Amino acid sequence: MELDFNGEALEKFIKESSIPLVTVFNSDPSNRPYVASFFDSSATKVMMFVNVTGESAESLKSKFRKVAIHLTKDKYFGVEDSQVPLVIIQTPDSKKYLKANVVVEEIESWMKDFKFFSPTFS
């Protein structure tokens, strides 16, 4: 099976992956490129303001990071932890088909069924 190389998709992935999930907006010059990327992005933005010297600052930041990780880790496919292990097939027209909680013995038959019923699968 030959796969097409998608340079734009790779560039987008690298750009998105190179930005920290949570960026601190402070006077640290090493954060400036990330803060600029955050504000330049057209994506929905979430901001949290905390008194960094307050007692609850660390627990707030920790919880914010955990929620951000949970909400973004499967943003593309919408995978839930309760569904794994799972197999996902994405067709050229961006439709997604999944087999959740798959066991080894089911993978081959599920793939064959999909191929039989889908003219786009090759």
Side-chain angles (χ1 to χ4, degrees):
M1 178 168 76
E2 185 178 316
L3 298 176
D4 292 333
F5 179 77
N6 186 330
E8 284 183 25
L10 180 60
E11 185 178 327
K12 181 181 179 198
F13 172 77
I14 291 171
K15 184 177 180 182
E16 289 175 355
S17 300
S18 66
I19 299 171
L21 183 59
V22 176
T23 301
V24 178
F25 184 41
N26 60 13
S27 59
D28 182 349
S30 65
N31 285 336
R32 288 185 186 143
Y34 306 123
V35 172
S37 293
F38 175 81
F39 285 105
D40 288 344
S41 170
S42 61
T44 300
K45 297 168 180 62
V46 177
M47 292 179 264
M48 181 178 73
F49 296 86
V50 296
N51 178 347
V52 293
T53 60
E55 287 181 21
S56 62
E58 286 307 312
S59 62
L60 283 168
K61 289 191 290 185
S62 175
K63 182 64 173 179
F64 188 76
R65 182 175 303 281
K66 284 179 185 176
V67 170
I69 289 169
H70 177 73
L71 293 177
T72 60
K73 71 177 180 177
D74 298 315
K75 65 184 177 181
Y76 185 70
F77 288 107
V79 175
E80 304 266 336
D81 287 341
S82 63
Q83 296 173 307
V84 296
L86 87 152
V87 176
I88 298 175
I89 296 174
Q90 181 174 339
T91 61
D93 58 356
S94 296
K95 291 182 182 173
K96 297 175 190 82
Y97 301 88
L98 63 91
K99 173 69 175 166
N101 305 114
V102 70
V103 293
V104 173
E105 297 80 19
E106 296 174 342
I107 295 172
E108 184 176 4
S109 63
W110 187 75
M111 297 281 287
K112 284 180 179 179
D113 287 346
F114 181 84
K115 185 175 181 177
F116 178 78
F117 292 107
S118 176
T120 61
F121 189 66
S122 55

